[in-house]
Amino acid sequence: MTEDLDTITAPSADLATDTTPRRTYELEETGFLEVPKKWRKFYRHWQGAGDTLAPNEVICPVCKVVIRSRRELRPGDRVYCMPCMSRLVVVRRPDGTLEADVLY
Amino acid sequence: MDDSTDTWEPHLLDEDEFIREVQSFAFWFEAIEGYLGDRPYGYDEDVAEAELDDGEKDRLVTILCNYCVGETAALEASSGLVRLASNNPSQIFMATQVADEARHVEVFRRRLTALGVDDVDAEIARRSNPELRDFRKRLLSFVDAGQWELAVFAQNVLLETMEDTVFRFHQSVADPITAQILTGVVADERRHLGFGENDLGRRLVRDPQRRRELAEVRAELDPLILGSFEASYRDLGLKPDQYPQLGRSYLEAVERLGIDG
């Protein structure tokens, strides 16, 4: 069973503050080979100093791979890190950046 | 699932489906085919051997001997854990980890042979770090006692996270063949350390009291594993103030699991 794009956002009132339409992204292959072919475009390697995250990307705190989505990410969104099998939720840090917390 | 639409993505899988997918044999097989399909021994056979002087070769042999001890410990422990797994996806995953660890042992031993080591077992016995050998004994004692949580913590969180840190650093400074071997190993380690943290995390949500037991094991094993990996950094020619942040990823993992107190 799969879910539609709206249901992957956690239904928390304090998280659902931004109702503006989300930007969407066309994902291309990034040379990431560590998952089966059909999933590869949803992940990429962090390139270190000089690399930046796009609004549709967060870093997995467990394995440091960059997780990508077809849409702009917002706090409360659920994402999966397939390379390390982690389930994550997007959060906004006090400095305004988006990060991911592990959901056990 | 319809993955042909332009809105579809893996983050839409429900959680049970996600676990079944990523802990399946098919996922493992397709994943490793991506980065090992043309590297049966972990590296592109067209890559030329670098010129290493005697000192560099000697240090590399010592480092690889220690890697062999860690990987052999994980091979033996993960094979025992197949029997202890509490559900089918975990059992399948652990079987794939056995195959990964067997490959790691094989490619590191082949590399030792290529570097001129005639008797690999004797060289490992002579050069390997005693703290790492003690860690191996303790890890296997958890498996023999049927203690899944303690063994998964020691192997998939502690050992795998520390290996991941050291292998990544070594990969950045190694000769081309060793670096390619390590690149493949690091890709495998991602699955192992992620499985460990997530499996333990779910168990600790259900049974928070287990944290005390895990903290005791951590206090016992931290010095062994930290000491042995510090030795690897010394063998890589680093001074203490040059060590990459050894232990940082591990400390972050135990903090997320709540066993950092």
Side-chain angles (χ1 to χ4, degrees), chain A residues 1-3 8 33-34 36 38-40 42 45 61-65 67-70 78-80 82-87 104, chain B residues 6 8-15 17-18 21-22 27 30-31 34 93 168 187 190-191 193-194 197-198 201-202 252 256:
Chain A
M1 180 183 143
T2 57
E3 302 169 52
I8 65 171
L33 300 174
E34 297 175 25
K38 65 179 176 178
W39 315 105
R40 288 179 189 164
F42 298 97
H45 289 290
V62 176
C63 74
K64 321 303 184 205
V65 158
I67 301 164
R68 312 170 77 212
S69 171
R70 290 187 191 275
R78 184 190 64 199
V79 291
Y80 291 128
M82 290 186 137
C84 79
M85 314 181 178
S86 294
R87 295 170 292 181
Y104 298 128
Chain B
D6 59 3
W8 181 88
E9 58 182 32
H11 316 305
L12 300 176
L13 295 170
D14 73 28
E15 296 198 358
E17 194 173 10
F18 169 71
E21 169 67 19
V22 295
F27 180 94
E30 287 188 57
F93 170 81
R168 279 170 194 271
R190 243 191 269 287
R191 290 189 296 275
L193 62 90
E197 177 173 337
N198 285 283
R202 286 191 290 276
E252 288 173 349
R256 285 192 294 269

Short mmCIF file of all heavy atoms in Angstrom, two decimals, chain A residues 1-3 8 33-34 36 38-40 42 45 61-65 67-70 78-80 82-87 104, chain B residues 6 8-15 17-18 21-22 27 30-31 34 93 168 187 190-191 193-194 197-198 201-202 252 256:
data_model
loop_
_atom_site.label_atom_id
_atom_site.label_comp_id
_atom_site.label_asym_id
_atom_site.label_seq_id
_atom_site.Cartn_x
_atom_site.Cartn_y
_atom_site.Cartn_z
N MET A 1 0.84 -1.19 0.00
CA MET A 1 0.00 0.00 0.00
C MET A 1 0.89 1.25 0.00
O MET A 1 1.89 1.32 0.67
CB MET A 1 -0.84 -0.03 1.28
CG MET A 1 -1.77 1.13 1.45
SD MET A 1 -2.60 0.94 3.05
CE MET A 1 -2.69 2.63 3.57
N THR A 2 0.52 2.22 -0.79
CA THR A 2 1.26 3.49 -0.78
C THR A 2 0.31 4.61 -0.37
O THR A 2 -0.90 4.43 -0.33
CB THR A 2 1.85 3.82 -2.14
OG1 THR A 2 0.79 3.86 -3.10
CG2 THR A 2 2.89 2.79 -2.56
N GLU A 3 0.90 5.77 -0.08
CA GLU A 3 0.10 6.90 0.35
C GLU A 3 0.28 8.03 -0.64
O GLU A 3 1.24 8.06 -1.39
CB GLU A 3 0.56 7.35 1.73
CG GLU A 3 0.46 6.23 2.76
CD GLU A 3 1.17 6.60 4.05
OE1 GLU A 3 0.89 7.67 4.59
OE2 GLU A 3 2.00 5.80 4.49
N ILE A 8 1.93 12.01 3.70
CA ILE A 8 3.22 11.75 4.32
C ILE A 8 3.62 12.87 5.27
O ILE A 8 4.65 12.83 5.90
CB ILE A 8 4.35 11.51 3.29
CG1 ILE A 8 4.63 12.75 2.46
CG2 ILE A 8 4.03 10.32 2.44
CD1 ILE A 8 5.88 12.60 1.60
N LEU A 33 24.82 4.80 -6.38
CA LEU A 33 24.61 3.43 -6.84
C LEU A 33 24.22 2.46 -5.72
O LEU A 33 24.10 1.26 -5.96
CB LEU A 33 25.89 2.91 -7.51
CG LEU A 33 26.39 3.69 -8.72
CD1 LEU A 33 27.75 3.14 -9.18
CD2 LEU A 33 25.40 3.62 -9.86
N GLU A 34 24.04 2.96 -4.51
CA GLU A 34 23.95 2.05 -3.36
C GLU A 34 22.55 1.53 -3.06
O GLU A 34 22.34 0.92 -2.01
CB GLU A 34 24.55 2.73 -2.13
CG GLU A 34 26.02 3.04 -2.31
CD GLU A 34 26.61 3.82 -1.16
OE1 GLU A 34 26.07 3.73 -0.04
OE2 GLU A 34 27.60 4.53 -1.39
N PRO A 36 18.80 -0.08 -5.26
CA PRO A 36 18.35 -0.54 -6.57
C PRO A 36 18.03 0.63 -7.51
O PRO A 36 17.68 1.72 -7.05
CB PRO A 36 17.10 -1.35 -6.25
CG PRO A 36 17.36 -1.88 -4.87
CD PRO A 36 18.07 -0.76 -4.16
N LYS A 38 15.69 1.78 -9.40
CA LYS A 38 14.49 2.63 -9.39
C LYS A 38 14.48 3.64 -8.26
O LYS A 38 13.71 4.59 -8.29
CB LYS A 38 13.23 1.77 -9.35
CG LYS A 38 13.04 0.96 -8.09
CD LYS A 38 11.74 0.19 -8.17
CE LYS A 38 11.55 -0.72 -6.98
NZ LYS A 38 10.28 -1.44 -7.01
N TRP A 39 15.36 3.45 -7.25
CA TRP A 39 15.37 4.38 -6.12
C TRP A 39 16.54 5.37 -6.17
O TRP A 39 16.64 6.25 -5.35
CB TRP A 39 15.50 3.62 -4.79
CG TRP A 39 14.66 2.41 -4.61
CD1 TRP A 39 15.05 1.10 -4.67
CD2 TRP A 39 13.26 2.36 -4.31
NE1 TRP A 39 14.00 0.26 -4.45
CE2 TRP A 39 12.89 1.00 -4.22
CE3 TRP A 39 12.28 3.35 -4.12
CZ2 TRP A 39 11.59 0.60 -3.94
CZ3 TRP A 39 10.98 2.94 -3.84
CH2 TRP A 39 10.66 1.59 -3.76
N ARG A 40 17.45 5.20 -7.13
CA ARG A 40 18.73 5.92 -7.05
C ARG A 40 18.59 7.43 -7.14
O ARG A 40 19.36 8.17 -6.51
CB ARG A 40 19.69 5.41 -8.14
CG ARG A 40 20.19 4.03 -7.81
CD ARG A 40 21.12 3.49 -8.87
NE ARG A 40 21.40 2.08 -8.58
CZ ARG A 40 21.91 1.22 -9.43
NH1 ARG A 40 22.24 1.62 -10.66
NH2 ARG A 40 22.11 -0.04 -9.08
N PHE A 42 16.65 9.34 -5.84
CA PHE A 42 16.16 9.95 -4.59
C PHE A 42 17.27 10.10 -3.53
O PHE A 42 16.99 10.48 -2.40
CB PHE A 42 14.99 9.14 -4.03
CG PHE A 42 13.82 9.10 -4.96
CD1 PHE A 42 13.61 8.03 -5.82
CD2 PHE A 42 12.95 10.19 -5.04
CE1 PHE A 42 12.55 8.02 -6.72
CE2 PHE A 42 11.88 10.18 -5.93
CZ PHE A 42 11.69 9.11 -6.77
N HIS A 45 25.32 11.51 -2.79
CA HIS A 45 26.38 11.66 -1.80
C HIS A 45 26.57 13.13 -1.48
O HIS A 45 26.54 13.98 -2.37
CB HIS A 45 27.71 11.10 -2.34
CG HIS A 45 27.73 9.61 -2.44
ND1 HIS A 45 27.76 8.80 -1.32
CD2 HIS A 45 27.73 8.77 -3.50
CE1 HIS A 45 27.77 7.53 -1.70
NE2 HIS A 45 27.74 7.49 -3.01
N PRO A 61 20.86 11.80 9.28
CA PRO A 61 21.80 11.94 10.40
C PRO A 61 22.52 10.62 10.72
O PRO A 61 23.56 10.64 11.37
CB PRO A 61 20.91 12.38 11.57
CG PRO A 61 19.55 11.87 11.22
CD PRO A 61 19.46 11.90 9.72
N VAL A 62 21.98 9.51 10.26
CA VAL A 62 22.59 8.21 10.57
C VAL A 62 23.74 7.91 9.63
O VAL A 62 24.84 7.57 10.07
CB VAL A 62 21.53 7.08 10.50
CG1 VAL A 62 22.16 5.72 10.74
CG2 VAL A 62 20.42 7.34 11.51
N CYS A 63 23.53 8.06 8.31
CA CYS A 63 24.58 7.64 7.37
C CYS A 63 25.12 8.79 6.52
O CYS A 63 26.01 8.57 5.70
CB CYS A 63 24.08 6.51 6.48
SG CYS A 63 22.91 7.03 5.23
N LYS A 64 24.56 10.01 6.70
CA LYS A 64 25.07 11.23 6.03
C LYS A 64 24.83 11.27 4.52
O LYS A 64 25.44 12.09 3.82
CB LYS A 64 26.57 11.46 6.30
CG LYS A 64 27.06 11.15 7.71
CD LYS A 64 26.34 11.91 8.77
CE LYS A 64 26.95 11.62 10.14
NZ LYS A 64 26.02 11.84 11.24
N VAL A 65 23.97 10.41 4.00
CA VAL A 65 23.57 10.50 2.59
C VAL A 65 22.53 11.61 2.46
O VAL A 65 21.77 11.87 3.39
CB VAL A 65 23.01 9.13 2.12
CG1 VAL A 65 22.11 9.28 0.91
CG2 VAL A 65 24.15 8.17 1.83
N ILE A 67 19.08 12.88 1.19
CA ILE A 67 17.79 12.32 0.78
C ILE A 67 17.06 13.38 -0.04
O ILE A 67 17.02 14.54 0.35
CB ILE A 67 16.95 11.95 2.02
CG1 ILE A 67 17.73 10.95 2.88
CG2 ILE A 67 15.59 11.40 1.62
CD1 ILE A 67 17.16 10.83 4.29
N ARG A 68 16.48 12.96 -1.17
CA ARG A 68 15.84 13.92 -2.07
C ARG A 68 14.37 13.57 -2.27
O ARG A 68 13.98 12.40 -2.22
CB ARG A 68 16.56 13.90 -3.42
CG ARG A 68 18.07 13.98 -3.28
CD ARG A 68 18.76 13.72 -4.60
NE ARG A 68 18.68 14.87 -5.48
CZ ARG A 68 18.61 14.80 -6.80
NH1 ARG A 68 18.58 13.63 -7.40
NH2 ARG A 68 18.57 15.90 -7.53
N SER A 69 13.57 14.60 -2.50
CA SER A 69 12.14 14.41 -2.75
C SER A 69 11.76 15.14 -4.03
O SER A 69 12.47 16.04 -4.47
CB SER A 69 11.34 14.98 -1.57
OG SER A 69 9.96 15.01 -1.86
N ARG A 70 10.64 14.76 -4.62
CA ARG A 70 10.17 15.46 -5.82
C ARG A 70 9.56 16.81 -5.46
O ARG A 70 9.25 17.60 -6.33
CB ARG A 70 9.09 14.63 -6.52
CG ARG A 70 9.60 13.38 -7.18
CD ARG A 70 8.46 12.77 -7.98
NE ARG A 70 8.75 11.45 -8.45
CZ ARG A 70 9.42 11.17 -9.57
NH1 ARG A 70 9.88 12.15 -10.31
NH2 ARG A 70 9.62 9.92 -9.94
N ARG A 78 7.63 13.17 6.28
CA ARG A 78 8.34 11.92 6.52
C ARG A 78 9.18 11.58 5.28
O ARG A 78 8.68 11.70 4.16
CB ARG A 78 7.36 10.79 6.78
CG ARG A 78 8.03 9.47 7.14
CD ARG A 78 7.03 8.33 7.14
NE ARG A 78 6.50 8.12 5.80
CZ ARG A 78 5.36 7.46 5.56
NH1 ARG A 78 4.63 7.02 6.55
NH2 ARG A 78 4.95 7.27 4.30
N VAL A 79 10.41 11.20 5.51
CA VAL A 79 11.25 10.72 4.41
C VAL A 79 11.95 9.44 4.85
O VAL A 79 12.11 9.19 6.06
CB VAL A 79 12.32 11.77 3.97
CG1 VAL A 79 11.67 12.96 3.30
CG2 VAL A 79 13.18 12.21 5.14
N TYR A 80 12.35 8.65 3.88
CA TYR A 80 13.05 7.40 4.16
C TYR A 80 14.47 7.46 3.62
O TYR A 80 14.68 7.91 2.49
CB TYR A 80 12.35 6.23 3.48
CG TYR A 80 11.00 5.87 4.01
CD1 TYR A 80 9.91 5.76 3.15
CD2 TYR A 80 10.80 5.63 5.36
CE1 TYR A 80 8.66 5.39 3.62
CE2 TYR A 80 9.54 5.27 5.84
CZ TYR A 80 8.48 5.16 4.97
OH TYR A 80 7.25 4.80 5.44
N MET A 82 16.83 4.96 2.34
CA MET A 82 16.94 3.55 1.97
C MET A 82 18.36 3.00 2.13
O MET A 82 18.53 1.83 2.49
CB MET A 82 16.45 3.34 0.54
CG MET A 82 14.95 3.51 0.42
SD MET A 82 14.37 3.09 -1.20
CE MET A 82 12.89 2.16 -0.78
N PRO A 83 19.40 3.80 1.87
CA PRO A 83 20.77 3.25 2.04
C PRO A 83 21.04 2.74 3.45
O PRO A 83 21.82 1.80 3.62
CB PRO A 83 21.67 4.43 1.68
CG PRO A 83 20.85 5.27 0.77
CD PRO A 83 19.44 5.13 1.26
N CYS A 84 20.44 3.36 4.49
CA CYS A 84 20.69 2.88 5.86
C CYS A 84 19.41 2.45 6.56
O CYS A 84 19.44 2.16 7.75
CB CYS A 84 21.45 3.93 6.68
SG CYS A 84 20.45 5.27 7.31
N MET A 85 18.30 2.43 5.82
CA MET A 85 17.05 1.86 6.34
C MET A 85 16.40 2.68 7.44
O MET A 85 15.70 2.14 8.30
CB MET A 85 17.27 0.43 6.84
CG MET A 85 18.06 -0.40 5.89
SD MET A 85 18.30 -2.05 6.47
CE MET A 85 19.20 -2.72 5.08
N SER A 86 16.67 4.01 7.44
CA SER A 86 16.12 4.85 8.52
C SER A 86 14.84 5.56 8.08
O SER A 86 14.71 5.99 6.94
CB SER A 86 17.15 5.91 8.93
OG SER A 86 18.28 5.31 9.52
N ARG A 87 13.91 5.66 9.03
CA ARG A 87 12.69 6.45 8.84
C ARG A 87 12.89 7.77 9.55
O ARG A 87 13.27 7.79 10.72
CB ARG A 87 11.49 5.69 9.42
CG ARG A 87 11.23 4.40 8.66
CD ARG A 87 10.23 3.53 9.35
NE ARG A 87 10.78 3.00 10.61
CZ ARG A 87 10.12 2.19 11.42
NH1 ARG A 87 8.88 1.83 11.12
NH2 ARG A 87 10.66 1.73 12.52
N TYR A 104 12.03 6.08 15.44
CA TYR A 104 12.14 4.64 15.71
C TYR A 104 10.75 4.04 15.74
O TYR A 104 10.53 2.92 15.81
CB TYR A 104 12.88 4.40 17.02
CG TYR A 104 14.31 4.93 17.01
CD1 TYR A 104 14.76 5.77 18.03
CD2 TYR A 104 15.18 4.61 15.98
CE1 TYR A 104 16.04 6.25 18.05
CE2 TYR A 104 16.48 5.11 15.98
CZ TYR A 104 16.91 5.92 17.01
OH TYR A 104 18.19 6.41 17.02
N ASP B 6 4.84 10.89 -12.26
CA ASP B 6 5.86 11.89 -11.92
C ASP B 6 5.69 12.44 -10.51
O ASP B 6 6.35 13.38 -10.13
CB ASP B 6 5.89 13.02 -12.96
CG ASP B 6 4.56 13.72 -13.05
OD1 ASP B 6 3.64 13.37 -12.28
OD2 ASP B 6 4.43 14.62 -13.90
N TRP B 8 5.33 10.04 -7.90
CA TRP B 8 5.64 8.89 -7.05
C TRP B 8 7.06 9.01 -6.46
O TRP B 8 7.97 9.49 -7.11
CB TRP B 8 5.55 7.62 -7.88
CG TRP B 8 5.83 6.41 -7.07
CD1 TRP B 8 4.93 5.69 -6.36
CD2 TRP B 8 7.10 5.81 -6.88
NE1 TRP B 8 5.58 4.67 -5.72
CE2 TRP B 8 6.91 4.72 -6.02
CE3 TRP B 8 8.38 6.10 -7.33
CZ2 TRP B 8 7.95 3.91 -5.60
CZ3 TRP B 8 9.42 5.28 -6.91
CH2 TRP B 8 9.20 4.20 -6.06
N GLU B 9 7.25 8.58 -5.22
CA GLU B 9 8.58 8.54 -4.63
C GLU B 9 8.60 7.56 -3.46
O GLU B 9 7.55 7.21 -2.91
CB GLU B 9 9.04 9.94 -4.20
CG GLU B 9 8.16 10.66 -3.21
CD GLU B 9 8.72 12.05 -2.93
OE1 GLU B 9 9.32 12.66 -3.83
OE2 GLU B 9 8.56 12.52 -1.79
N PRO B 10 9.80 7.09 -3.07
CA PRO B 10 9.86 6.05 -2.04
C PRO B 10 9.31 6.50 -0.69
O PRO B 10 8.87 5.67 0.11
CB PRO B 10 11.35 5.72 -1.95
CG PRO B 10 12.06 6.88 -2.53
CD PRO B 10 11.14 7.43 -3.57
N HIS B 11 9.32 7.82 -0.44
CA HIS B 11 8.86 8.32 0.85
C HIS B 11 7.35 8.12 1.02
O HIS B 11 6.80 8.41 2.07
CB HIS B 11 9.24 9.80 0.99
CG HIS B 11 10.64 10.09 0.54
ND1 HIS B 11 11.73 9.43 1.07
CD2 HIS B 11 11.14 10.93 -0.41
CE1 HIS B 11 12.84 9.85 0.46
NE2 HIS B 11 12.51 10.76 -0.43
N LEU B 12 6.69 7.66 -0.05
CA LEU B 12 5.25 7.41 0.03
C LEU B 12 4.94 5.99 0.47
O LEU B 12 3.78 5.68 0.75
CB LEU B 12 4.61 7.65 -1.35
CG LEU B 12 4.77 9.05 -1.92
CD1 LEU B 12 4.19 9.13 -3.32
CD2 LEU B 12 4.10 10.07 -1.02
N LEU B 13 5.93 5.11 0.53
CA LEU B 13 5.68 3.75 1.00
C LEU B 13 5.18 3.80 2.44
O LEU B 13 5.60 4.66 3.22
CB LEU B 13 6.97 2.93 0.97
CG LEU B 13 7.60 2.66 -0.40
CD1 LEU B 13 9.00 2.05 -0.22
CD2 LEU B 13 6.72 1.71 -1.20
N ASP B 14 4.29 2.87 2.79
CA ASP B 14 3.94 2.83 4.21
C ASP B 14 5.09 2.15 4.96
O ASP B 14 5.97 1.53 4.36
CB ASP B 14 2.57 2.21 4.48
CG ASP B 14 2.53 0.71 4.31
OD1 ASP B 14 3.56 0.04 4.50
OD2 ASP B 14 1.46 0.19 3.98
N GLU B 15 5.12 2.29 6.28
CA GLU B 15 6.32 1.90 7.03
C GLU B 15 6.62 0.41 6.95
O GLU B 15 7.78 0.01 6.84
CB GLU B 15 6.20 2.38 8.48
CG GLU B 15 6.14 3.89 8.55
CD GLU B 15 6.44 4.47 9.92
OE1 GLU B 15 6.68 3.67 10.84
OE2 GLU B 15 6.45 5.69 10.03
N GLU B 17 5.84 -1.59 4.51
CA GLU B 17 6.30 -1.87 3.16
C GLU B 17 7.76 -1.43 2.99
O GLU B 17 8.55 -2.10 2.33
CB GLU B 17 5.41 -1.13 2.16
CG GLU B 17 5.57 -1.61 0.75
CD GLU B 17 4.55 -0.98 -0.20
OE1 GLU B 17 3.85 -0.03 0.20
OE2 GLU B 17 4.48 -1.44 -1.34
N PHE B 18 8.10 -0.30 3.60
CA PHE B 18 9.48 0.19 3.55
C PHE B 18 10.44 -0.83 4.17
O PHE B 18 11.46 -1.18 3.58
CB PHE B 18 9.57 1.54 4.27
CG PHE B 18 10.98 2.02 4.51
CD1 PHE B 18 11.78 2.45 3.47
CD2 PHE B 18 11.50 2.04 5.80
CE1 PHE B 18 13.08 2.89 3.69
CE2 PHE B 18 12.79 2.47 6.04
CZ PHE B 18 13.59 2.89 4.97
N GLU B 21 10.85 -3.86 2.06
CA GLU B 21 11.65 -3.58 0.87
C GLU B 21 13.15 -3.53 1.20
O GLU B 21 13.95 -4.23 0.59
CB GLU B 21 11.20 -2.24 0.26
CG GLU B 21 12.11 -1.68 -0.83
CD GLU B 21 12.13 -2.53 -2.11
OE1 GLU B 21 11.21 -3.33 -2.32
OE2 GLU B 21 13.10 -2.37 -2.89
N VAL B 22 13.51 -2.69 2.19
CA VAL B 22 14.95 -2.46 2.41
C VAL B 22 15.63 -3.64 3.12
O VAL B 22 16.85 -3.75 3.05
CB VAL B 22 15.22 -1.15 3.19
CG1 VAL B 22 14.80 0.04 2.36
CG2 VAL B 22 14.58 -1.15 4.56
N PHE B 27 16.50 -6.32 -2.55
CA PHE B 27 17.05 -4.96 -2.39
C PHE B 27 18.57 -5.03 -2.26
O PHE B 27 19.31 -4.31 -2.91
CB PHE B 27 16.43 -4.31 -1.15
CG PHE B 27 16.93 -2.90 -0.88
CD1 PHE B 27 16.24 -1.79 -1.35
CD2 PHE B 27 18.09 -2.70 -0.14
CE1 PHE B 27 16.71 -0.51 -1.10
CE2 PHE B 27 18.57 -1.42 0.11
CZ PHE B 27 17.86 -0.32 -0.37
N GLU B 30 20.30 -6.05 -5.66
CA GLU B 30 20.33 -4.97 -6.65
C GLU B 30 21.23 -3.83 -6.20
O GLU B 30 21.84 -3.14 -7.02
CB GLU B 30 18.92 -4.43 -6.91
CG GLU B 30 18.05 -5.36 -7.72
CD GLU B 30 16.74 -4.69 -8.09
OE1 GLU B 30 16.76 -3.61 -8.71
OE2 GLU B 30 15.68 -5.23 -7.71
N ALA B 31 21.29 -3.59 -4.89
CA ALA B 31 22.14 -2.51 -4.38
C ALA B 31 23.61 -2.83 -4.60
O ALA B 31 24.36 -2.02 -5.16
CB ALA B 31 21.86 -2.28 -2.89
N GLY B 34 25.03 -2.60 -8.06
CA GLY B 34 25.31 -1.25 -8.55
C GLY B 34 26.76 -0.83 -8.35
O GLY B 34 27.34 -0.17 -9.21
N PHE B 93 17.76 -9.76 6.51
CA PHE B 93 18.79 -8.72 6.51
C PHE B 93 20.10 -9.26 7.08
O PHE B 93 21.19 -9.04 6.53
CB PHE B 93 18.37 -7.48 7.33
CG PHE B 93 19.53 -6.56 7.49
CD1 PHE B 93 19.89 -5.69 6.48
CD2 PHE B 93 20.36 -6.64 8.61
CE1 PHE B 93 21.02 -4.92 6.57
CE2 PHE B 93 21.50 -5.86 8.71
CZ PHE B 93 21.83 -4.99 7.70
N ARG B 168 36.30 5.59 6.06
CA ARG B 168 36.12 6.78 5.23
C ARG B 168 37.38 7.63 5.21
O ARG B 168 37.78 8.14 4.17
CB ARG B 168 35.00 7.66 5.79
CG ARG B 168 33.62 7.23 5.44
CD ARG B 168 32.66 8.06 6.29
NE ARG B 168 31.34 7.51 6.27
CZ ARG B 168 30.43 7.83 5.38
NH1 ARG B 168 30.71 8.71 4.44
NH2 ARG B 168 29.24 7.28 5.42
N ALA B 187 30.04 1.45 1.64
CA ALA B 187 28.64 1.38 1.16
C ALA B 187 27.89 0.26 1.87
O ALA B 187 26.71 0.42 2.23
CB ALA B 187 28.64 1.15 -0.36
N ARG B 190 26.96 1.19 5.60
CA ARG B 190 25.79 2.05 5.76
C ARG B 190 24.56 1.23 6.14
O ARG B 190 23.77 1.61 7.00
CB ARG B 190 25.52 2.77 4.45
CG ARG B 190 25.65 4.26 4.51
CD ARG B 190 25.11 4.88 3.25
NE ARG B 190 26.11 5.06 2.22
CZ ARG B 190 27.06 5.98 2.27
NH1 ARG B 190 27.14 6.80 3.28
NH2 ARG B 190 27.93 6.10 1.30
N ARG B 191 24.38 0.10 5.45
CA ARG B 191 23.21 -0.75 5.75
C ARG B 191 23.34 -1.33 7.15
O ARG B 191 22.37 -1.37 7.91
CB ARG B 191 23.11 -1.91 4.75
CG ARG B 191 22.73 -1.50 3.36
CD ARG B 191 22.43 -2.74 2.48
NE ARG B 191 23.59 -3.59 2.30
CZ ARG B 191 24.52 -3.40 1.35
NH1 ARG B 191 24.39 -2.38 0.52
NH2 ARG B 191 25.56 -4.20 1.25
N LEU B 193 25.10 -0.33 9.93
CA LEU B 193 24.95 0.57 11.07
C LEU B 193 23.52 1.12 11.15
O LEU B 193 22.98 1.36 12.23
CB LEU B 193 26.01 1.68 11.05
CG LEU B 193 26.05 2.68 9.89
CD1 LEU B 193 25.19 3.89 10.16
CD2 LEU B 193 27.50 3.13 9.64
N GLY B 194 22.90 1.31 9.98
CA GLY B 194 21.52 1.79 9.98
C GLY B 194 20.57 0.75 10.54
O GLY B 194 19.68 1.06 11.33
N GLU B 197 21.05 0.67 14.49
CA GLU B 197 20.45 1.78 15.24
C GLU B 197 18.91 1.71 15.19
O GLU B 197 18.24 1.91 16.21
CB GLU B 197 20.92 3.12 14.69
CG GLU B 197 20.25 4.28 15.42
CD GLU B 197 20.79 5.64 15.06
OE1 GLU B 197 21.95 5.75 14.59
OE2 GLU B 197 20.04 6.62 15.27
N ASN B 198 18.37 1.41 14.02
CA ASN B 198 16.91 1.41 13.90
C ASN B 198 16.27 0.23 14.61
O ASN B 198 15.22 0.38 15.25
CB ASN B 198 16.51 1.45 12.42
CG ASN B 198 16.72 2.83 11.84
OD1 ASN B 198 15.92 3.74 12.07
ND2 ASN B 198 17.81 3.03 11.11
N GLY B 201 16.61 1.05 18.27
CA GLY B 201 15.74 2.18 18.59
C GLY B 201 14.30 1.74 18.79
O GLY B 201 13.64 2.15 19.75
N ARG B 202 13.81 0.89 17.90
CA ARG B 202 12.43 0.40 18.02
C ARG B 202 12.26 -0.44 19.29
O ARG B 202 11.27 -0.34 19.99
CB ARG B 202 12.04 -0.43 16.78
CG ARG B 202 11.80 0.41 15.54
CD ARG B 202 11.16 -0.40 14.42
NE ARG B 202 12.06 -1.38 13.85
CZ ARG B 202 12.95 -1.12 12.90
NH1 ARG B 202 13.06 0.10 12.42
NH2 ARG B 202 13.72 -2.07 12.41
N GLU B 252 27.00 10.36 18.43
CA GLU B 252 25.70 10.86 17.97
C GLU B 252 24.67 9.74 17.98
O GLU B 252 23.51 9.93 18.34
CB GLU B 252 25.82 11.45 16.57
CG GLU B 252 26.58 12.78 16.52
CD GLU B 252 26.84 13.27 15.11
OE1 GLU B 252 26.64 12.50 14.14
OE2 GLU B 252 27.29 14.42 14.97
N ARG B 256 21.23 9.51 20.19
CA ARG B 256 19.88 9.34 19.63
C ARG B 256 19.17 8.16 20.29
O ARG B 256 17.96 8.19 20.49
CB ARG B 256 19.96 9.10 18.11
CG ARG B 256 20.29 10.34 17.30
CD ARG B 256 20.07 10.10 15.80
NE ARG B 256 20.97 9.13 15.24
CZ ARG B 256 22.16 9.40 14.70
NH1 ARG B 256 22.57 10.65 14.63
NH2 ARG B 256 22.91 8.44 14.22
#
